[in-house]
Every structure is written in C-alpha cells, then in structure tokens.
Amino acid sequence: MTTDTLDIAPKLRGRPREFDMDSALDEALRVFSERGYYAASISELTEAMGLTAGSVYKAFGDKRGIFLAAFSRYRQVRQQLIDETLAEAPNAHEKLRALVMFFAEASCGEIGRRGCLVVGSATELALFDEEVAGRVGVAFDFDERRILNLIRLGQEDGSISKHVDPESTACSLLALTKGMRVIGKTGRKTEQMLAVAETAMKLLN
C-alpha cells in the first residue's frame, strides 16, 4: 500500500469484526459504481454486502462512512493491479503504454459501464463534500505524478523523446485516462478504446 492510499478499515467502535471487510466493501463498490452515491440506498448496500443494517451502522456509521471506506478500498485494489501491470514492462515507455492500455480496457464492456469511483466522485460529490474533494485531489495528484515520473524516467533511459514536455504531457495523459472512464460508461467497444490509447501514446513521440 502506498502512502497516498488512505486507510480502509473504519473503527469498529469496540466491536470485533464479524465479517470479511474487503469482500463487503467490494460489493458496496459495485453498488456505488453502478448507482452513484445519491441513488444507492442503505437497503441496497446492506443486501449487497450481506450484512444487517445494524452491522453496517455499527461498522461504518452511515452511508457516507460506507462510501469513504469503499473509496479507499477501490484505490488500494486499483493501485495494486496497476503496480503489477507496470512491473512487467521493460522500460518507461512500455510502462506508460501498459498504463494507458489498462485504463482503455477498463473503459469498455460491463466494467466500463460501471465507471470509475474516483472520477464519479469528482463529478457527483466533490463540489459539496470537502473531504471527498480532498480524497479525489489526492488520487488525481498521485496518478499524475506517476505518469510524470515515468515520462522523466523514459527520457533518462532513452525510450521517450527529450522533446516531450513532461509536465504538460503528464496532465494531458491524466485527462485522457480519466476521460476514458467517463465515456466508457456509454458502452464503448474494446477496439474503440484501444484506438484511443494508441492515439494517446503519440503524445510521447
């Protein structure tokens, strides 16, 4: 877990944990991703998580508590998947390709229609909830910094042209990858999103 990843488990108020926290939060994630924060009801969440309303309230306090814990769980899982994906690439350019392709593949089909919890939070909650806005900002800053570091690493190892401006290109790739997750909710086909990813890689030429 990186230092940018927020703690997942809420304080359980003196009560021993009696359920699989990660599995329960994964189900809550599905509900929030499909329904959005405001449309997701406590009854839907408790049913999906396999918990009673009493257990949910004791563990998380309220729907917002569930959401914040699910948000952190989402970031932890995604970062682990991305780290594993990047580790297989031989140089910085190919790591960036793997990163962009990761977002492209997550932006089509059923997964694409569910969308990204971080992006969804930015559009649905960040304006009205200061804590959520802060978490979204941390997530976006982390993703942009990772892209920026890979661009700089690529310029050092020779896999990325030194004519590429690291800062503006990192911001552009951040916007493109987050934008993929937005349009992915409209049911885009895999070949369409992979074509977008290939176009995005031209920014590194």
Side-chain angles (χ1 to χ4, degrees), residues 1-10 17 20-26 29 67-85 102 116-118 135 138-139 142-143 146:
M1 183 184 301
T2 70
T3 56
D4 294 88
T5 302
L6 301 171
D7 291 337
I8 296 171
R17 186 180 303 173
D20 186 327
M21 177 70 74
D22 289 346
S23 295
L25 290 176
D26 287 343
L29 276 170
F67 178 82
L68 292 176
F71 186 99
S72 292
R73 168 68 177 167
Y74 179 82
R75 288 206 61 216
Q76 180 199 37
V77 171
R78 298 292 289 183
Q79 296 314 319
Q80 182 177 346
L81 289 173
I82 290 173
D83 287 345
E84 292 171 356
T85 298
F102 178 92
C116 170
L117 194 69
V118 176
R135 293 190 181 208
V138 167
F142 178 85
D143 290 347
R146 175 171 49 202

Side-chain angles (χ1 to χ4, degrees), residues 6-17 19-22 24-25 49 51 55-62 64-73 135:
L6 301 171
D7 291 337
I8 296 171
K11 294 180 180 179
L12 298 184
R13 305 182 181 185
R15 180 186 176 92
R17 186 180 303 173
F19 55 89
D20 186 327
M21 177 70 74
D22 289 346
L25 290 176
M49 297 168 78
L51 303 174
S55 295
V56 168
Y57 283 116
K58 287 176 182 177
F60 303 100
D62 54 18
R64 184 174 179 276
I66 301 172
F67 178 82
L68 292 176
F71 186 99
S72 292
R73 168 68 177 167
R135 293 190 181 208

Side-chain angles (χ1 to χ4, degrees), residues 104-118:
E105 290 170 358
S107 302
C108 49
E110 182 62 29
I111 295 176
R113 282 190 289 272
R114 288 183 182 177
C116 170
L117 194 69
V118 176

Side-chain angles (χ1 to χ4, degrees), residues 89-132:
N91 57 46
H93 184 277
E94 291 309 304
K95 288 180 186 296
L96 278 167
R97 179 184 294 279
L99 180 65
V100 174
M101 289 296 178
F102 178 92
F103 282 100
E105 290 170 358
S107 302
C108 49
E110 182 62 29
I111 295 176
R113 282 190 289 272
R114 288 183 182 177
C116 170
L117 194 69
V118 176
V119 173
S121 300
T123 57
E124 187 179 16
L125 291 173
L127 183 62
F128 308 103
D129 190 311
E130 185 175 344
E131 183 175 359
V132 172

